[in-house]
Amino acid sequence: MTSNWKEGQASLIALDWGTSALRAYLMNFDGAVLETRSSDCGIQNLAKPGGAGFEKAFSDIRDGWPAGLPVIAGGMVGSAQGWKEAPYIDCPADFTQLADASVHVTTETGEQVVIAPGMIYRPDHGQPDVMRGEEIQIAGALAQNPTLGVNTVFLLPGTHSKWVRVSQGRVVDFDTYMTGELFSVLKRHSILGRLMSETPSKGEAAGRAFEKGLAVSAADPDRLQHLLFGVRTHGLAGDLAGNVLSDYLSGLLIGNEIAASLARRTDPGVPLVLIGEQALCRRYQEALQVFGCPPADYIDNASASGLYLVACKAGLIKAA
Amino acid sequence: MTSNWKEGQASLIALDWGTSALRAYLMNFDGAVLETRSSDCGIQNLAKPGGAGFEKAFSDIRDGWPAGLPVIAGGMVGSAQGWKEAPYIDCPADFTQLADASVHVTTETGEQVVIAPGMIYRPDHGQPDVMRGEEIQIAGALAQNPTLGVNTVFLLPGTHSKWVRVSQGRVVDFDTYMTGELFSVLKRHSILGRLMSETPSKGEAAGRAFEKGLAVSAADPDRLQHLLFGVRTHGLAGDLAGNVLSDYLSGLLIGNEIAASLARRTDPGVPLVLIGEQALCRRYQEALQVFGCPPADYIDNASASGLYLVACKAGLIKAA
């Protein structure tokens, strides 16, 4: 927790508060990060919604930072299981509307924490879709590169992978795929994990197994429940070694997601931009190229910039 | 364990030995069941492959039955994790070939247990597929109704649902779908189980949720990973109550399986026949009708008849 900043520079505390982790940024007046801290006080590790656990987690992580700064928070902290619920706002929506729908809590020491809501998309037909946290990443991407706001599809892979359409600075609509969670539960809790080695291959064979999974999914996009059983039977038959079976499973699931999503793109000319964890985004970049997409740009974690943007829109800080 | 049979009637001991349970049938010379016993000594509950655990489980379950009878066994007992491995035989194959490929173990008391193999299907392109136990059920169905051997698709729903094509008395090919296991792991281990009530509805609302799941899957068969997230979002949005969410999930998965399988039927005129647990088969019968199929016949557990047929083919007993 060393710091090279001076007290007068600190202008905002921004909290990226998700399911498993809490990350805090001390930022200056024009959105540069002066110091980053993190803890495992994600909302699933805190005793109960709205309880004193949130106040303590916040107090601990900002310990030693100047008092009296505006505080902005985003992510699962605003869910029904969070510190205070900030109801979803409907898409299409822009980030001014997002900021306007924020709620706030006041701590025992009198600090006000502004909590941004998530977004909900309710199509005329089909299922509603929700996100909390991804919209902050997108705000950050737009803050870093405003031209992306014109017309972009953002792809945020992860536990619940999101494909988010942005046009004219507004989040128009989005779809979720359970790719990451399916990978995790099938590997840990289903028969598919049984033949997998504890130490997966890092070599070319892993890459080939991943690409085979992509190709198989692309050829039979409506048959995932059958193809999944192939993780077992290719292992039993010795076609794929135990140390590449998780890569094959990953290829099947990511391939299925991409095939379904590309089949529904209304305008294939709109660029795709990835946001998220680097290794996973690389995997998606590779997969998208197998599906014939042009190389997709990649943006690392953009939550600090996104929270800064929302803080500006909420009037907590005056944009530089 | 009361019994009304006389010692002279007993002609065969048949063991349906699966992953979670062991079922034993004492049968007479023409295949009628004199007594049925079961234990939880499925192969996953026995200490190690080939160990004394199998011998003890067998000795316990046949306790008091006449000595010197032929013994036939089928199911996971013949897997690499079973009593003794009976390598898969390749499809197409008939039940004489199955019987010919049996292996045997001799117990300490000198009893010989004949273990039938499973079947493997290796298509020219695509993944291999395997079964152990389902082929015995099909043998039983054919023993009960030989006309089904001419041309039938057997559907055996369950953890790993099988669609098995039989023609001219031979198992031609088959496909597995992980429907039952996906349902179980998603309900128990994923976010989808969170909003589900502990006591599911038994009423009409459950039936409507199941049918909604079927319809949604039928409309978007290539988009399962997105539709699955709808179990959560319909729950969050209040469109579906917590006590029908598991029915909706079941409808999505069964609908996806049926849509994929029907799309690949080479001859839609061949009748479909269900084999398996009654409540689950009813669910599939209902689903098949929603998909426009004619009413499918249903056969209850047929493993005793199937084991008897294989015992006859193996020369263990002379068919009546």
Side-chain angles (χ1 to χ4, degrees):
Chain A
M1 293 211 189
T2 56
S3 54
N4 293 311
W5 47 272
K6 289 173 189 157
E7 176 118 2
Q9 293 179 291
S11 304
L12 177 71
I13 293 173
L15 307 173
D16 173 10
W17 205 327
T19 301
S20 55
L22 162 61
R23 191 171 293 193
Y25 305 96
L26 184 67
M27 304 182 85
N28 79 0
F29 73 100
D30 63 358
V33 175
L34 301 172
E35 191 182 336
T36 301
R37 296 176 179 177
S38 64
S39 85
D40 60 0
C41 290
I43 75 155
Q44 73 183 5
N45 303 327
L46 295 173
K48 54 180 183 180
F54 286 88
E55 178 138 356
K56 176 158 193 329
F58 169 60
S59 161
D60 286 350
I61 206 161
R62 55 96 69 244
D63 183 46
W65 284 354
L69 297 179
V71 185
I72 181 83
M76 291 301 286
V77 67
S79 72
Q81 290 75 41
W83 197 347
K84 181 174 182 180
E85 186 171 4
Y88 295 112
I89 64 163
D90 275 284
C91 286
D94 63 23
F95 293 100
T96 302
Q97 289 168 289
L98 187 89
D100 288 348
S102 298
V103 301
H104 69 267
V105 288
T106 305
T107 68
E108 282 183 7
T109 57
E111 277 188 299
Q112 197 173 81
V113 178
V114 174
I115 301 175
M119 288 185 172
I120 186 165
Y121 167 56
R122 305 180 210 256
D124 292 336
H125 304 285
Q127 68 200 38
D129 221 320
V130 294
M131 62 180 170
R132 278 196 192 273
E134 291 89 351
E135 70 292 339
I136 301 288
Q137 299 275 354
I138 291 168
L142 301 191
Q144 289 170 23
N145 185 349
T147 62
L148 293 176
V150 178
N151 234 347
T152 303
V153 173
F154 289 97
L155 166 48
L156 300 99
T159 305
H160 298 154
S161 184
K162 310 277 180 192
W163 294 66
V164 186
R165 209 150 60 92
V166 170
S167 180
Q168 309 306 328
R170 299 197 309 167
V171 174
V172 179
D173 55 37
F174 59 97
D175 293 315
T176 301
Y177 292 79
M178 289 190 65
T179 315
E181 186 162 13
L182 270 171
F183 178 77
S184 167
V185 298
L186 288 171
K187 185 171 173 174
R188 283 195 224 170
H189 299 292
S190 86
I191 197 170
L192 301 188
R194 299 261 187 91
L195 298 174
M196 291 180 185
S197 312
E198 288 195 16
T199 50
S201 163
K202 304 277 180 201
E204 282 178 26
R208 283 196 301 274
F210 177 65
E211 282 176 25
K212 179 174 174 166
L214 294 174
V216 163
S217 256
D220 271 326
D222 64 336
R223 213 185 189 194
L224 183 62
Q225 293 186 96
H226 170 65
L227 300 181
L228 289 173
F229 197 60
V231 176
R232 176 160 180 79
T233 60
H234 279 308
L236 284 176
D239 306 337
L240 289 173
N243 66 357
V244 302
L245 289 178
S246 73
D247 290 278
Y248 182 65
L249 173 61
S250 169
L252 287 179
L253 294 170
I254 291 175
N256 184 263
E257 171 190 344
I258 292 176
S261 197
L262 293 183
R264 284 163 182 80
R265 290 193 75 181
T266 48
D267 183 355
V270 174
L272 261 174
V273 173
L274 285 153
I275 308 181
E277 193 259 315
Q278 192 174 21
L280 186 59
C281 284
R282 282 227 181 103
R283 196 163 262 250
Y284 272 76
Q285 281 176 316
E286 190 188 328
L288 287 164
Q289 287 200 271
V290 169
F291 277 83
C293 296
D297 279 339
Y298 154 69
I299 295 172
D300 203 351
N301 190 322
S303 59
S305 317
L307 289 163
Y308 176 81
L309 179 87
V310 176
C312 293
K313 301 273 187 193
L316 295 180
I317 191 168
K318 199 169 163 179
Chain B
M1 294 212 189
T2 57
S3 56
N4 294 311
W5 47 272
K6 290 171 190 158
E7 177 117 2
Q9 293 179 291
S11 303
L12 177 71
I13 293 173
L15 306 173
D16 174 12
W17 206 327
T19 302
S20 55
L22 163 61
R23 191 171 292 194
Y25 305 96
L26 184 66
M27 305 182 83
N28 79 0
F29 73 100
D30 64 358
V33 174
L34 302 172
E35 192 183 336
T36 301
R37 295 176 179 176
S38 63
S39 86
D40 60 359
C41 290
I43 74 156
Q44 74 182 5
N45 302 327
L46 295 173
K48 54 179 181 181
F54 286 87
E55 179 139 352
K56 177 156 191 332
F58 169 59
S59 162
D60 286 350
I61 206 161
R62 55 99 64 244
D63 184 44
W65 284 353
L69 297 178
V71 186
I72 181 82
M76 291 301 286
V77 66
S79 71
Q81 291 75 42
W83 197 345
K84 181 173 180 179
E85 187 171 3
Y88 295 112
I89 64 164
D90 275 285
C91 285
D94 63 22
F95 293 101
T96 301
Q97 290 169 289
L98 186 88
D100 289 348
S102 297
V103 301
H104 70 267
V105 289
T106 305
T107 67
E108 282 183 8
T109 58
E111 278 188 299
Q112 198 173 78
V113 178
V114 173
I115 302 175
M119 288 185 171
I120 186 165
Y121 167 56
R122 305 179 208 257
D124 292 336
H125 304 285
Q127 70 201 37
D129 220 320
V130 293
M131 62 180 170
R132 278 196 192 273
E134 291 88 352
E135 71 292 338
I136 301 288
Q137 300 273 355
I138 290 167
L142 301 191
Q144 289 171 23
N145 185 351
T147 61
L148 292 177
V150 179
N151 235 348
T152 303
V153 172
F154 290 97
L155 166 48
L156 299 99
T159 306
H160 299 152
S161 185
K162 309 277 180 191
W163 294 64
V164 185
R165 210 151 58 94
V166 170
S167 181
Q168 309 306 328
R170 300 197 309 169
V171 175
V172 179
D173 56 37
F174 60 97
D175 294 315
T176 301
Y177 292 79
M178 289 190 66
T179 315
E181 186 163 11
L182 270 171
F183 177 78
S184 167
V185 299
L186 288 171
K187 185 171 174 175
R188 284 195 223 169
H189 299 293
S190 86
I191 197 170
L192 302 188
R194 300 260 186 92
L195 298 175
M196 291 181 186
S197 312
E198 288 195 15
T199 50
S201 162
K202 304 277 181 199
E204 282 178 27
R208 283 196 300 274
F210 176 65
E211 283 175 25
K212 179 174 174 167
L214 293 175
V216 164
S217 257
D220 271 326
D222 64 335
R223 213 186 189 196
L224 183 63
Q225 293 186 97
H226 171 65
L227 299 181
L228 289 173
F229 197 60
V231 176
R232 176 160 180 80
T233 60
H234 279 308
L236 283 175
D239 305 337
L240 290 173
N243 66 356
V244 302
L245 288 178
S246 72
D247 290 279
Y248 182 65
L249 173 61
S250 168
L252 287 179
L253 294 170
I254 291 176
N256 183 263
E257 172 191 346
I258 292 177
S261 196
L262 293 183
R264 283 163 183 81
R265 290 192 76 181
T266 47
D267 182 355
V270 175
L272 260 175
V273 173
L274 284 153
I275 307 181
E277 194 258 315
Q278 192 173 21
L280 186 59
C281 285
R282 283 226 181 104
R283 196 162 262 249
Y284 272 76
Q285 282 176 315
E286 190 189 327
L288 286 165
Q289 288 200 270
V290 169
F291 276 84
C293 296
D297 279 339
Y298 154 69
I299 295 172
D300 204 351
N301 189 321
S303 60
S305 319
L307 289 163
Y308 176 80
L309 180 87
V310 176
C312 293
K313 302 274 188 193
L316 295 181
I317 191 168
K318 200 170 163 180

